[in-house]
Structure formats: structure tokens, C-alpha cells
Amino acid sequence: MTTPSLRHLRFALYGVLAALAGTGVGHLVAALTDPAASPVLAVGELVIDHTPTPVKNWAIAHFGTHDKTILVGSVLVGVLVLAAAAGLLARRAFRWGAALLVVLVAVALYAALTRPVVHPVDALPGLVTLAVGLGALAVLARLEAGSRPRRRSTIGELGSSGVSRRGVLVAAAGVAAVAAASGYAGRLIARSRAAIGAISLPRPRSPAPPFPRGLDDRVQGITPFRTPTADFYRVDTRLSLPIVDADSWSLSIDGDVRRAQSWSFDDLLAMPLIERDITLTCVSNEVGGPYVSGARWLGVRLTDLLDRAGVGGTADQILSTDVDGMTISTPLAPATDGRDAMIAIGMNGEALPRAHGFPARMVVPGLYGFISACKWISRMTLTTYADRAAYWTDRHWATDAPIKIASRIDTPNGLHLASGRTFIGGVAWAQPVGVAKVEVQIDGGPWQQAALGPSAGQDYWRQWYLPWDAKPGSHQIASRATDRKGNVQTAVRATPFPDGSSGIQKLVVAVS
Ligand SMILES: Nc1nc2c(c(=O)[nH]1)N[C@H]1C(S)=C(S)[C@@H](COP(=O)(O)O)O[C@H]1N2
Ligand SMILES: [Mo]
């Protein structure tokens, strides 16, 4: 006879397998309908939306862009622990285990059906998850109950009554295979549905000047002057990217306007396009942090669209809504003060990648992304802050958040360095005014002026470097930028919340 503890373990495993099979098949169904309605992703996004801001900031600071992987991982681990408990309960009485599974799936259903934009079909992945999970647990529990371990009798015959132990094992393996195969198929399908077909972008009416050659080859370790699209930082609340069909997508303007408008993707392509080099920055970026990147954007001037609608006299914000109901508010005044704000449809010569807002997003130079850069945008409502609040406004982030003057040291980037002639180098930004000067301070000495790389306009970051003869010992390096109006990067430290970090980055290197 097997010991009771092993039997417990087997039931716990059945619970886990049943849950995996359920979520696997649920994930597959979601891939065919709406990937965001997948039970695991829906719960993950529910958790994101209800995580208190300080915890969220802590997670971003500690896990960086891995914060989502860690979140989904934790949700999964939590679910599996509960599923194991459901298995153990099922050992006592199947209905108790089943009841726990029902509760688990109910949470997922709640998560899927309380997202901002919901279709009835979004209930399907959860219901399928429940059916498969319950079915798998029932089969395994029943087989287990009827099974007897195979025992050799003294004369070498197999003595068995009911189902063999091997039968249960085969069934368990089958359930595991269903879980793995369906989960994998779901991934493949979601990915293939997400592929963006060939889109040829028109030439801009107002092209950007030729992009200058940066310092990339000359200063080892410096950030590339233009961020390769694949390396462009990504920040959003999503766990799965929306799948948008450009042919049926549209962008509308409503609210405090004289003529509500709606444009198709082709309508936008047919309008006069501008092309600009603009550096995007996230409000969550810490001093010296990675959430800043530069790209060449192609799009329709925001004011061209607003003018066609005719903005009324009361609006003070543009409340943008994305295809899934996420909202981002943009202060109307800076967005329309003559800077190159646009609804972008192209990035670095290609259609926007899905991670960066396909088919269209807002870009406003000089404002942090959370109040200016709505991705997957589908609607702009002219309204007031008094009347409507966007996602981050509800979470007490600032509504006015100009990007603060900043500089970042890219190199040296290790804690140790060999002595000798080298460079201190990095990037600095001061959108929409432009960087005029970067200075470097070594060991608290005088601020020394660094050499600047070429300029790609006032909305774009600037590379900089200072030759340095590194002598053995421990050294502290600091940098600060000054904009073209003479404003100097402040040394006053501020956290990202509520309107962006500030302070001077200080780096300590050991030279030997
Ligand atoms: N729809 C949508 N747009 C969004 C966000 C989001 O969560 N959802 N995040 C914003 C934030 S906080 C930033 S910093 C920028 C980042 O743009 P990127 O991911 O293309 O770098 O997108 C903005 N646009
Ligand atoms: Mo952001």
C-alpha cells in the first residue's frame, strides 16, 4: 500500500494538472477571440489596476521591464497553490475541490468581464477553463478512487481490481499534454494573428532633416543616438498587446468640438504628414534610469485634426481612449502651443510596432508619456479635468507633467575600470527646448564642460562625452545638463511620483 502522504501528493498534483489544462485550453480559446480575456492575463491586469501606486513603483524600480513577467508568474503560482488545495479537497469529497475551482474561475471571469471594453464572447475562455478544469479533476479523482496499485502475486500474476495505477498515470499525463499543447497553440495563434501586414507609409509633406551620425562608433558604451525600434523602452498597463485591424480601426474626436470627426487609417495616410525626431520619456524613470528612447516619428499634426473638429472654449484636456478603453489625459494648452505634437502612424520608417501603439498613437514632445503618448488610440474627447479623469489621474499622478531636464551617464557602466585614457559619456534631454550644455564633475571638483554630439532638434536627446584619464582609486562621477534657455538640471531629488524624478546622477567607479 502507498502511504497516505503520497496519496495526498497525487491529489494535489491532480488539482494542479486540472487547473493547468483548464487555463491552457482557456488561453487557446482566448487567442481565437480576444487574448486579453485569457484567465491568467485578465487576473494579471486586474492585479495591475488594483496595485497601490507605491507598490507599483517599487515593482518597476526593482524588476524593471521584468515586472510583468514576475506579476504573471506570481499570479500563476498563486493559482497553482490554490489548485493543489482544490485537489486535496477533492480527495475528501469531489464537490469541495470542485467548489474551490469554481471560485478560482469566478475571479478570472470577474477580471475578464470588468475590463473597460467587454464583449459577451469574453466570458468564453473562463467558462471553457471551468469545464475543462472540472472535467479533468473529475476524471483523475474517479480513476484514482477506482485504482489499486499493481501487485505481483506470488505466482507472478498481475493482481488488479478496477483501474491500474498505470491507467491513472496515463490519464494524468494526458491531462498534462492537453495543458501544454493548448497553451502553446494559444501562444502561436495569438502571435500569428498579431502579425502586421505590409503597410507602405506615404512620404511626409514635412520631412525631418537627414539624421546626423551620432557618437555611437566613437564613444564606446554610449547609448545609440537613435534607439533601434526593438530596444525602444516600453511602458504600459497591458499584459497582452491589443490586436487591431487597421482596416476597421478609426480615430474619432468628440466632446467640446463644433464638428465631431472620425477618420479611418487610410484617411490619416492621405493627410499631410510630418516627420520628426522626438525623444520619449516615462515619468517612472528614475535618475539615471532606462525609460527614455529616441525615434523618428511620422504622423498627422495634432492641431490639423483638432482644427477640423473645431475645439470649443471650455475644454482644458484631451482625454484619449485606446481600443480597450484605457484613458490618458493630455493638457490641451501645451499640446497645441506650436510644438510638433502628432498622431503618429510610423516609427523609424515603418508602421508602428504593436508594442508601441499600432496603428496610431499620440506623441507630444516635452510631456511625459503617461499624459501625452496614448498608444492604440481610438478616440480623443475634448473635455475638462473637472469633468473627466483619466487612468493615472485617478491614481493621483500629476495632470501637468513637463519632462524635467536630465542627463544620464552611460559609460563607465561597471563598478570597476582599468586605469588609463577613457571617456565619460552619456545622453541628456531637455524636450522641447533642447540641450545646450552638459557638464561633468569628478570627485566633487569643478564642473567641466563635456563635448556634445550632433543635434537632431530640440525635441531629441543629445549624446555627450568627456575624455578622462582614469587614475587608480575610487572616483565619483556626476553629470548635469543645461537647456537652451539656461535652465540647469536641478540637484533637488524627487521621486517619479507624482510628476517625474529629478536630481543629479552620481556614479562611483573603482579604477585599478
Ligand atoms: N494605451 C496606452 N497608452 C500608453 C500607456 C498605456 O499604458 N496604455 N502608457 C503610457 C506611458 S506611461 C508611456 S511612458 C508611454 C510609453 O510609450 P512606449 O511604450 O512606446 O515607449 O506610453 C504611454 N501610452
Ligand atoms: Mo510612463
Side-chain angles (χ1 to χ4, degrees), residues 93-134:
F94 176 74
R95 59 178 189 281
W96 292 358
L100 183 49
L101 282 189
V102 170
V103 169
L104 271 176
V105 177
V107 172
L109 269 173
Y110 170 81
L113 297 178
T114 51
R115 294 174 310 129
V117 176
V118 188
H119 308 285
V121 68
D122 291 342
L124 203 58
L127 295 176
V128 169
T129 297
L130 186 62
V132 173
L134 285 181

Side-chain angles (χ1 to χ4, degrees), residues 32-47:
L32 294 165
T33 54
D34 179 357
S38 159
V40 175
L41 297 184
V43 171
E45 283 180 7
L46 185 77
V47 173

Side-chain angles (χ1 to χ4, degrees), residues 11 14-15 18 85-102 130-143 145:
F11 267 97
Y14 298 156
L88 288 173
L89 285 174
R91 191 184 67 88
R92 289 289 187 82
F94 176 74
R95 59 178 189 281
W96 292 358
L100 183 49
L101 282 189
V102 170
L130 186 62
V132 173
L134 285 181
L137 187 62
V139 167
L140 292 173
R142 174 152 311 164
L143 286 178

Side-chain angles (χ1 to χ4, degrees), residues 235 282-283 370:
V235 171
C282 179
V283 70
F370 81 115

